[in-house]
Amino acid sequence: MIGLEVHVQLATTSKIFSGASNEYGSLANENTCEIDLGLPGSLPVLNEKAVEMAVKFGCAISAEINEISIFDRKNYFYPDLPKGYQISQFENPIVGRGSIKITDEAGATKIIGITRAHLEEDAGKSIHDLFQGRTAVDLNRTGTPLLEIVSEPDIRSAREASEYFKQIHNLATFIGICDGNLSEGSMRCDANVSVRQKGDSLLGERTEIKNINSFKFVERAIELEIERQIDVLEDGGEIVRETRLFDPDKDETRSMRSKELSEDYRYFPDPDLLPLVLSREEIEKIKSELPELPQQREKNYQSRFGLSGYDSKQLSVDRSKSDFFEELAKASGLPKLSANWVNSNLSSLLNEKGLGFDQTPILPSLLAEILIRIDDGTISSTSGKKLFRAFCETPPEIPEIDDRIDEMGLRQIGGTDGLKDIVLDILKEHPTQLAELLKGKQKVLGFLVGQVMKKTKGAANPKEVNEIIQGEIKKG
Ligand code: ADP
Ligand code: MG
């Protein structure tokens, strides 16, 4: 039995209770002010954007949004938390029950219940390896807004847990509340794990593995913890409630500390902050601004455009990619070709340049013009790729496109008279080969096609050239 607590850093400009910058990677302690430092007399002021983002997420998982929620003090002392408490939400979180769909190991859709999601502030960082024998403290992360999303213990395997974490990652980045950068700690999770005999109705005692920041690690950490717990129980031992740490280098989980219970934190409502009150209208407004969500888009691409499940998923995970595809499909009227291009040529170009889909060097409307010309045979798909590369460097105005095609000599000489004349010329120029061909020597056909290709500088469609020559032979 597995339940995950996922911490999502919200992509706000400033901190959750102060005006200090929420940027990652600044000089140590640069993004701090008296509130983050916990100086006496400073007072927190709630960031409206963080509230909006929490509500956005809640609406995206069809959760109850609580019109009244309360900020509480969770009391504990670490050097990276100078106030001596973390502001969090305890009994009255902003987001109540909801759910998330994942695909389980058998490929079936499975619903994982979400117990709640609450707003809180992140703590700073203690750095133990900077100065010998001393600990350094960087408070830049202090006060970064977090949405903690708590699942029901509905997850049944390590792989499902990793799927669930991915699903939250997709959703949070899609709706734009988090940059999703796992290596910078933008999303981290704690995994609660217990085991029990088949048929037992009670849950077993659990342990909690803290601060996991990758899809692979969450899977491995849980696998190891399940094995460890089964070993302990089979040896007649007992599982103790504790917090554990996953060490990817040693490939093990180990005990960090015995688990604090909520009593240990002496939660109480923060007297410096009023209850957070949201009106139905405010909630409805935020809800109405949500984009169509990835799982819905994935379904639509299959039913509306007849795309494969794989292609549809590839196209719908990233918001900018999905938006680009939809605009391209609409402008070109060619959804399948659009899907191929977005997933292959466009993806590899962006990869090469290290760009995201929100930074494409070509507009969907312009790429659509290329696809239309490939589809109607004006250019070959190889020429389409050349044109695409060229247009990414220097995009033309729409009316200039055909001139550019001619300038670059990419216009395919179509099956009409133009190409036929060239073929006839070539046949006339090579009477010996023609005679051999007429005698049934198929080998020279390739040579003749090659001559036409040479003359047209590759602009002819070889299949068409072939057909024209065959037609002439039949005529004798
Ligand atoms: P805490 O306050 O100690 O973090 P919660 O009751 O909020 O405890 O639960 C935290 C997480 O632990 C939730 O995701 C929940 O689903 C999970 N959980 C609770 N009991 C179990 C259990 N017996 N086995 C596995 N996970 C559990
Ligand atoms: Mg917890």
Side-chain angles (χ1 to χ4, degrees), residues 5 74 148 190 192 206 208 210 259:
E5 295 162 89
K74 182 178 182 180
E148 176 172 340
D190 305 337
N192 295 268
R206 68 173 139 133
E208 179 171 2
K210 278 274 179 204
K259 168 77 189 173

Side-chain angles (χ1 to χ4, degrees), residues 1-5 115 150-153 192-194 203-206 208 241 259-260:
M1 316 284 291
I2 302 155
L4 247 51
E5 295 162 89
T115 319
V150 182
S151 87
E152 291 289 300
N192 295 268
V193 179
S194 68
L203 293 179
E205 184 59 283
R206 68 173 139 133
E208 179 171 2
R241 182 84 181 270
K259 168 77 189 173
E260 308 77 357

Side-chain angles (χ1 to χ4, degrees), residues 223-287:
E223 269 171 13
L224 288 168
E225 184 56 15
I226 293 173
E227 280 170 28
R228 190 194 66 87
Q229 289 190 13
I230 293 176
D231 284 348
V232 169
L233 293 173
E234 285 183 347
D235 289 345
E238 247 178 65
I239 302 301
V240 282
R241 182 84 181 270
E242 65 182 352
T243 301
R244 298 180 70 86
L245 185 86
F246 172 58
D247 182 339
D249 296 326
K250 294 205 175 124
D251 198 35
E252 63 175 25
T253 70
R254 57 174 178 270
S255 184
M256 228 165 97
R257 54 174 190 255
S258 67
K259 168 77 189 173
E260 308 77 357
L261 300 175
S262 65
E263 300 88 275
D264 296 330
Y265 291 123
R266 294 166 291 122
Y267 278 101
F268 65 89
D270 191 319
D272 290 340
L273 287 157
L274 290 167
L276 171 58
V277 181
L278 295 166
S279 67
R280 268 291 123 202
E281 295 78 61
E282 283 170 298
I283 297 170
E284 286 307 318
K285 180 164 179 288
I286 296 170
K287 191 173 180 179

Side-chain angles (χ1 to χ4, degrees), residues 2 18 27 61 75-76 92 104 118 131 164 183 186 208 219 242 247 257 267 291-292 294 306 324 396 428 470:
I2 302 155
S18 86
L27 284 177
I61 59 163
N75 297 279
Y76 62 96
N92 301 282
D104 71 9
H118 61 259
F131 304 112
Y164 168 82
S183 61
S186 299
E208 179 171 2
E219 187 163 346
E242 65 182 352
D247 182 339
R257 54 174 190 255
Y267 278 101
E292 190 181 37
F324 189 99
K428 262 187 225 145
Q470 303 274 18

Side-chain angles (χ1 to χ4, degrees), residues 388-401:
F388 164 65
R389 292 270 164 170
F391 284 6
C392 285
E393 296 300 323
T394 39
E397 297 297 322
I398 300 270
E400 297 165 9
I401 295 174

